Amino acid sequence: MQGIPAMLGLLLSATVASVDQLKFLHDTLESVHKEMYISTLLVMQRHQRQSAPDPLQPFYPLAWPTLRIDKGPSVEITRETTYKRPALALVYMDAYEDTVLLDALAESFNDMRVTRIVIWLRVPVSEQLLATICQQATEHSFLNLLVLEGTTSAHRLQPFPRAHFQSIQIQMSPHKIFPIPWLNFQGREAKTQVSLRPPQSFYWKDPLTGGERCSGYIYSLMRTFAEKRNISLVLLQDTAGEAEMDWTTELNETIRGGDLDLPMTGHFANLRGPNQSRINALVGIITITIAVPCGQELRLGDLFISICVPTMIPYMLVNYLCFTVAESLLGAIYNIWAHRRRRFRCINMLLNLRVLRSILGMAGELPLRHRTATALGQLVVCMSYAGFLTATLFGAHLSTLLTMSPQYRHIHTIKELRDSNLTVVFNRMSLSVITQKVDPDFVSSQLPNVQLMLVKDQMDLVTSLNTSYAYQVFAYSHDTLWSAQHHSIRRALCKSRHLDLIRDIPYSIVLQQNSVYGLALAHFVDWTWSAGLLAHWYSHAVHDMSYSSIGPHRYLPQPIGARPIALQDYKTGWTLLGAGCLLAVCVFIAELLVARRRARIVGRN
């Protein structure tokens, strides 16, 4: 603003307007700048030829970067200016035909309808002219618009509930020139409709009263948003055709036609149509995955073989080999140092009872009478410590097996799913995401057996835990599949990370492009995230969905039948005990034979 007062001396020589009018414009721009700084000034004038007057000639050099355009080809300005660098559009009108500049301004200010606009009129103001400007402001959803007339008069646009102009005195008014318009919509009507996509918005029957009402976390979001921002929601009733409408396909056309102002549904941010708002009201981040039937429950023996054996056997073998080699090396070093000749026997490497006894956690003797007592004794201590760790690890695995939830033998990878020829139920929105963002041929090559369903029908099958199909579902914390099975430790449908198709996709509210509710809804959604309301609404919607008529029948797998312990249950234990005793007897006999042979050899020598 330093350059503007310095050039006020040129006002007397200006041919565009009088001194008072220029001073009024200067004071208005300065007041607007004090409210919120102007980073970019967009000047619009219908004639940009050399002979046309320049309304800003007395103000040069300006304090802001200035962009000058006319009604010709539009210049698209990015929406980041709205948040990071607030701009201001100065529209110069010296004829009634200059109202076409608002059309050009609308093309340049896509998704920036809250940007401040100042119209400087150089023609007499009439009711017809203000009505024309008001009509164009309504058509283009301009929210912050100010008309300057003469030297003292100004007309500010009041966009809600219906657009009209209000005369204000800028210098005498204690209020802001451009107040935030979307904090109070003053009862403006907004059309909406339940999307029948649980848990977003759906109808459910109260199990106690039998009455039907609306529920869903986006339904609660829209209802609270309307209450806080003074919006009158008009809930459209479902007709026979609309009740069966697949919102994933018809949503773009519905919003484009203006049939819905606040749809009670969301969409993937990367699949927005050309006529949808670019202002993100993020309501979640989800993962597209596939839930498959869990199959048969694994028995304890199968779990032991699949979990303990792959972990314990390699660990014990590595310890056995390391300690056997270490003991053999120490023995060889001792023989060399003592000048004793002793043959190396492979049987000592294959069957070393001292090492085996230590690894199994049994006590080992310390060779205190030999010259290698220190080194060999430390080795025995290390072997005993390794055996202690092995026994502890085995006990931890065994305790985990005895206390863990039931495990199932189900499909874990896409290849297994393809080989199983199991039908996978998709909805159209998820299928379009995969074909457009992953691979157009992914479904045909990896999932040849795909069936499309409406979202409501798909959710009915999922919540009823029907195991005849595999289902494309959205995975996130406490999702629909979890809510249908969390009351039981057993599962009918299971998920695996190797079945994830796309991870961490932003999910946002869908609005019409340049909607007057866009920025207000985005700020309100951010506030609900910080207050924890979205998580609360979601858990409440999941509760309603779980205990309503959406999924009245759930088919959880039957647990393995429990029966009293009989003698036959100890058959495996007695077999292992007998085998161990037999092995101990054989080892004892072998040690006696080896000791007798050594005694004979010593007697001969």
Side-chain angles (χ1 to χ4, degrees):
M1 299 300 297
Q2 293 83 0
I4 295 178
M7 301 304 297
L8 287 179
L10 297 177
L11 294 177
L12 296 176
S13 60
T15 60
V16 179
S18 65
V19 175
D20 293 337
Q21 290 176 331
L22 289 174
K23 185 177 184 303
F24 179 50
L25 175 62
H26 162 260
D27 294 340
T28 301
L29 294 179
E30 190 175 40
S31 300
V32 172
H33 182 78
K34 289 180 180 179
E35 285 185 3
M36 179 181 292
Y37 74 99
I38 302 172
S39 64
T40 304
L41 182 64
L42 177 66
V43 180
M44 298 196 68
Q45 189 176 5
R46 190 160 60 98
H47 302 288
Q48 291 290 345
R49 58 182 183 273
Q50 186 175 2
S51 60
D54 185 359
L56 296 178
Q57 180 64 38
F59 295 158
Y60 294 142
L62 294 176
W64 316 286
T66 304
L67 180 64
R68 307 179 65 93
I69 60 176
D70 56 14
K71 67 173 184 177
S74 61
V75 178
E76 185 175 358
I77 302 177
T78 58
R79 186 174 57 86
E80 282 73 11
T81 307
T82 305
Y83 295 100
K84 300 178 182 179
R85 297 180 178 179
L88 184 139
L90 178 61
V91 182
Y92 178 74
M93 293 186 181
D94 57 359
Y96 289 100
E97 295 80 8
D98 289 346
T99 54
V100 297
L101 291 174
L102 294 179
D103 298 331
L105 182 63
E107 295 181 5
S108 300
F109 276 8
N110 272 327
D111 295 306
M112 295 177 58
R113 293 306 197 248
V114 295
T115 303
R116 297 163 294 179
I117 303 172
V118 175
I119 299 178
W120 189 21
L121 289 180
R122 297 289 294 123
V123 294
V125 178
S126 63
E127 294 293 335
Q128 182 180 0
L129 178 59
L130 290 180
T132 302
I133 296 176
C134 186
Q135 180 182 358
Q136 287 186 309
T138 303
E139 179 182 353
H140 299 304
S141 301
F142 290 136
L143 300 181
N144 286 320
L145 192 145
L146 184 69
V147 177
L148 300 182
E149 174 196 1
T151 59
T152 58
S153 179
H155 305 275
R156 183 172 59 199
L157 178 69
Q158 299 294 331
F160 308 120
R162 287 181 175 83
H164 63 279
F165 279 104
Q166 178 185 11
S167 298
I168 61 173
Q169 296 294 330
I170 295 179
Q171 303 300 330
M172 301 177 58
S173 176
H175 304 290
K176 291 184 177 181
I177 300 176
F178 288 107
I180 300 177
W182 41 262
L183 293 179
N184 185 359
F185 287 86
Q186 300 182 9
R188 180 188 176 102
E189 291 186 353
K191 293 177 291 184
T192 185
Q193 186 179 8
V194 178
S195 65
L196 303 180
R197 296 179 61 186
Q200 298 178 12
S201 60
F202 57 94
Y203 293 104
W204 77 291
K205 290 184 179 180
D206 193 332
L208 298 179
T209 63
E212 188 178 67
R213 64 181 181 87
C214 298
S215 184
Y217 71 98
I218 294 185
Y219 168 79
S220 301
L221 171 67
M222 292 300 182
R223 186 188 61 184
T224 308
F225 171 68
E227 293 176 355
K228 295 295 184 181
R229 296 294 180 259
N230 193 11
I231 301 173
S232 299
L233 279 182
V234 179
L235 185 61
L236 302 181
Q237 299 297 325
D238 296 329
T239 61
E242 292 173 343
E244 299 297 329
M245 180 182 66
D246 188 353
W247 280 61
T248 59
T249 304
E250 306 295 339
L251 185 60
N252 293 341
E253 295 296 331
T254 304
I255 295 177
R256 180 188 303 177
D259 297 332
L260 293 177
D261 298 315
L262 293 174
M264 291 187 180
T265 185
H267 208 271
F268 296 123
N270 53 357
L271 285 185
R272 288 175 299 197
N275 295 313
Q276 293 179 5
S277 175
R278 293 302 188 266
I279 299 178
N280 287 323
L282 187 66
V283 293
I285 297 178
I286 62 179
T287 296
I288 299 180
T289 187
I290 297 178
V292 296
C294 290
Q296 185 179 4
E297 182 180 342
L298 294 175
R299 297 182 179 274
L300 187 60
D302 299 331
L303 288 175
F304 180 82
I305 294 175
S306 61
I307 297 178
C308 292
V309 172
T311 305
M312 298 301 301
I313 296 300
Y315 178 78
M316 296 177 65
L317 286 178
V318 170
N319 286 336
Y320 181 80
L321 292 176
C322 292
F323 289 129
T324 301
V325 172
E327 188 182 30
S328 300
L329 288 177
L330 287 177
I333 293 173
Y334 170 73
N335 292 332
I336 295 174
W337 178 68
H339 303 287
R340 295 176 57 183
R341 299 183 60 184
R342 189 174 182 180
R343 293 182 179 181
F344 177 77
R345 298 181 179 180
C346 295
I347 189 65
N348 293 333
M349 295 290 294
L350 297 178
L351 182 61
N352 192 322
L353 298 180
R354 180 184 297 173
V355 175
L356 182 61
R357 180 174 53 191
S358 300
I359 291 178
L360 293 178
M362 303 172 67
E365 59 177 347
L366 295 176
L368 300 177
R369 297 183 179 181
H370 301 282
R371 294 183 179 181
T372 58
T374 302
L376 192 57
Q378 291 179 357
L379 179 63
V380 172
V381 171
C382 292
M383 290 190 297
S384 300
Y385 182 70
F388 170 74
L389 293 180
T390 303
T392 304
L393 183 61
F394 178 79
H397 279 291
L398 189 59
S399 299
T400 302
L401 290 178
L402 295 176
T403 57
M404 70 188 309
S405 300
Q407 302 295 311
Y408 302 92
R409 184 182 289 108
H410 61 85
I411 298 172
H412 287 85
T413 62
I414 296 294
K415 183 179 182 302
E416 294 177 0
L417 181 61
R418 183 181 66 248
D419 296 339
S420 67
N421 200 28
L422 187 65
T423 301
V424 184
V425 177
F426 271 81
N427 61 65
R428 293 187 179 180
M429 180 178 65
S430 302
L431 190 62
S432 62
V433 172
I434 295 172
T435 54
Q436 295 180 19
K437 300 300 179 181
V438 179
D439 186 359
D441 301 327
F442 175 80
V443 175
S444 59
S445 60
Q446 301 295 330
L447 302 173
N449 197 3
V450 171
Q451 181 177 350
L452 291 179
M453 283 189 181
L454 296 177
V455 177
K456 181 180 181 299
D457 298 336
Q458 182 189 22
M459 295 306 300
D460 287 345
L461 292 177
V462 172
T463 53
S464 64
L465 302 179
N466 190 315
T467 57
S468 301
Y469 307 95
Y471 303 94
Q472 169 271 313
V473 294
F474 300 131
Y476 38 85
S477 178
H478 295 73
D479 54 18
T480 305
L481 186 58
W482 174 89
S483 65
Q485 304 182 108
H486 78 282
H487 61 280
S488 174
I489 62 173
R490 286 175 167 78
R491 300 289 180 262
L493 298 174
C494 298
K495 293 183 294 186
S496 172
R497 289 186 59 85
H498 299 289
L499 292 175
D500 292 346
L501 302 180
I502 307 179
R503 295 177 182 172
D504 302 332
I505 310 175
Y507 198 73
S508 59
I509 301 294
V510 184
L511 295 177
Q512 188 179 10
Q513 188 179 30
N514 300 316
S515 172
V516 295
Y517 306 103
L519 194 59
L521 185 60
H523 279 259
F524 185 78
V525 169
D526 292 341
W527 175 77
T528 57
W529 275 114
S530 62
L533 288 177
L534 266 181
H536 169 71
W537 290 331
Y538 178 79
S539 61
H540 188 71
V542 168
H543 177 272
D544 292 345
M545 183 178 60
S546 300
Y547 293 95
S548 67
S549 59
I550 293 179
H553 304 291
R554 295 184 174 89
Y555 305 98
L556 287 174
Q558 296 295 327
I560 297 177
R563 55 184 178 81
I565 298 177
L567 291 177
Q568 295 180 355
D569 297 329
Y570 295 98
K571 182 178 179 180
T572 303
W574 288 116
T575 302
L576 292 177
L577 182 61
C581 293
L582 181 61
L583 180 61
V585 171
C586 294
V587 171
F588 178 70
I589 295 175
E591 288 182 348
L592 291 179
L593 294 177
V594 171
R596 181 176 296 182
R597 183 180 178 184
R598 288 179 178 176
R600 289 178 181 177
I601 294 174
V602 173
R604 292 176 183 176
N605 296 333

PDB file of all heavy atoms in Angstrom, residues 201 225 240 323 413 484 488 490 499 546:
ATOM      1  N   SER A 201     -25.349 -43.778   4.900  1.00  0.00           N
ATOM      2  CA  SER A 201     -26.717 -43.345   5.199  1.00  0.00           C
ATOM      3  C   SER A 201     -27.660 -44.449   4.742  1.00  0.00           C
ATOM      4  O   SER A 201     -27.526 -44.966   3.626  1.00  0.00           O
ATOM      5  CB  SER A 201     -27.038 -42.018   4.498  1.00  0.00           C
ATOM      6  OG  SER A 201     -26.916 -42.140   3.097  1.00  0.00           O
ATOM      7  N   PHE A 225     -24.400 -30.554  10.467  1.00  0.00           N
ATOM      8  CA  PHE A 225     -23.924 -29.419   9.673  1.00  0.00           C
ATOM      9  C   PHE A 225     -25.067 -28.459   9.367  1.00  0.00           C
ATOM     10  O   PHE A 225     -24.909 -27.228   9.453  1.00  0.00           O
ATOM     11  CB  PHE A 225     -23.291 -29.938   8.385  1.00  0.00           C
ATOM     12  CG  PHE A 225     -22.956 -28.870   7.385  1.00  0.00           C
ATOM     13  CD1 PHE A 225     -21.950 -27.951   7.628  1.00  0.00           C
ATOM     14  CD2 PHE A 225     -23.659 -28.782   6.187  1.00  0.00           C
ATOM     15  CE1 PHE A 225     -21.645 -26.955   6.704  1.00  0.00           C
ATOM     16  CE2 PHE A 225     -23.360 -27.801   5.258  1.00  0.00           C
ATOM     17  CZ  PHE A 225     -22.354 -26.884   5.520  1.00  0.00           C
ATOM     18  N   ALA A 240     -39.744 -45.526  -6.570  1.00  0.00           N
ATOM     19  CA  ALA A 240     -39.449 -46.920  -6.925  1.00  0.00           C
ATOM     20  C   ALA A 240     -38.181 -47.016  -7.743  1.00  0.00           C
ATOM     21  O   ALA A 240     -37.391 -47.939  -7.594  1.00  0.00           O
ATOM     22  CB  ALA A 240     -40.629 -47.524  -7.700  1.00  0.00           C
ATOM     23  N   PHE A 323      27.199 -75.466  18.745  1.00  0.00           N
ATOM     24  CA  PHE A 323      27.820 -75.967  19.971  1.00  0.00           C
ATOM     25  C   PHE A 323      28.587 -77.265  19.725  1.00  0.00           C
ATOM     26  O   PHE A 323      29.621 -77.514  20.355  1.00  0.00           O
ATOM     27  CB  PHE A 323      26.758 -76.172  21.049  1.00  0.00           C
ATOM     28  CG  PHE A 323      26.214 -74.880  21.592  1.00  0.00           C
ATOM     29  CD1 PHE A 323      24.852 -74.658  21.647  1.00  0.00           C
ATOM     30  CD2 PHE A 323      27.064 -73.884  22.040  1.00  0.00           C
ATOM     31  CE1 PHE A 323      24.345 -73.474  22.141  1.00  0.00           C
ATOM     32  CE2 PHE A 323      26.564 -72.691  22.542  1.00  0.00           C
ATOM     33  CZ  PHE A 323      25.202 -72.484  22.587  1.00  0.00           C
ATOM     34  N   THR A 413      -3.864 -65.284  -0.700  1.00  0.00           N
ATOM     35  CA  THR A 413      -3.276 -64.528  -1.804  1.00  0.00           C
ATOM     36  C   THR A 413      -4.246 -64.467  -2.980  1.00  0.00           C
ATOM     37  O   THR A 413      -5.225 -65.228  -3.052  1.00  0.00           O
ATOM     38  CB  THR A 413      -1.953 -65.162  -2.263  1.00  0.00           C
ATOM     39  OG1 THR A 413      -2.212 -66.491  -2.753  1.00  0.00           O
ATOM     40  CG2 THR A 413      -0.960 -65.237  -1.119  1.00  0.00           C
ATOM     41  N   ALA A 484     -19.899 -57.122  12.365  1.00  0.00           N
ATOM     42  CA  ALA A 484     -20.786 -58.273  12.240  1.00  0.00           C
ATOM     43  C   ALA A 484     -20.255 -59.492  12.976  1.00  0.00           C
ATOM     44  O   ALA A 484     -21.015 -60.433  13.236  1.00  0.00           O
ATOM     45  CB  ALA A 484     -20.989 -58.612  10.762  1.00  0.00           C
ATOM     46  N   SER A 488     -18.348 -62.493  18.665  1.00  0.00           N
ATOM     47  CA  SER A 488     -17.956 -63.897  18.773  1.00  0.00           C
ATOM     48  C   SER A 488     -16.475 -64.022  18.464  1.00  0.00           C
ATOM     49  O   SER A 488     -15.924 -63.267  17.655  1.00  0.00           O
ATOM     50  CB  SER A 488     -18.769 -64.762  17.796  1.00  0.00           C
ATOM     51  OG  SER A 488     -18.293 -66.095  17.794  1.00  0.00           O
ATOM     52  N   ARG A 490     -15.259 -66.506  16.971  1.00  0.00           N
ATOM     53  CA  ARG A 490     -15.145 -67.254  15.728  1.00  0.00           C
ATOM     54  C   ARG A 490     -15.536 -66.372  14.552  1.00  0.00           C
ATOM     55  O   ARG A 490     -16.303 -65.432  14.693  1.00  0.00           O
ATOM     56  CB  ARG A 490     -15.996 -68.523  15.787  1.00  0.00           C
ATOM     57  CG  ARG A 490     -15.358 -69.556  16.686  1.00  0.00           C
ATOM     58  CD  ARG A 490     -16.179 -70.796  16.893  1.00  0.00           C
ATOM     59  NE  ARG A 490     -15.350 -71.812  17.512  1.00  0.00           N
ATOM     60  CZ  ARG A 490     -15.046 -71.838  18.801  1.00  0.00           C
ATOM     61  NH1 ARG A 490     -15.521 -70.916  19.601  1.00  0.00           N
ATOM     62  NH2 ARG A 490     -14.269 -72.791  19.289  1.00  0.00           N
ATOM     63  N   LEU A 499      -4.461 -59.804   0.243  1.00  0.00           N
ATOM     64  CA  LEU A 499      -5.644 -59.647  -0.598  1.00  0.00           C
ATOM     65  C   LEU A 499      -6.039 -58.181  -0.772  1.00  0.00           C
ATOM     66  O   LEU A 499      -7.082 -57.897  -1.359  1.00  0.00           O
ATOM     67  CB  LEU A 499      -6.823 -60.431  -0.008  1.00  0.00           C
ATOM     68  CG  LEU A 499      -6.700 -61.956  -0.040  1.00  0.00           C
ATOM     69  CD1 LEU A 499      -7.868 -62.603   0.681  1.00  0.00           C
ATOM     70  CD2 LEU A 499      -6.612 -62.474  -1.465  1.00  0.00           C
ATOM     71  N   SER A 546     -25.760 -53.145  12.687  1.00  0.00           N
ATOM     72  CA  SER A 546     -25.582 -54.507  13.183  1.00  0.00           C
ATOM     73  C   SER A 546     -26.847 -55.042  13.838  1.00  0.00           C
ATOM     74  O   SER A 546     -27.122 -56.245  13.769  1.00  0.00           O
ATOM     75  CB  SER A 546     -24.424 -54.550  14.183  1.00  0.00           C
ATOM     76  OG  SER A 546     -23.224 -54.126  13.577  1.00  0.00           O
TER      77      SER A 546
END
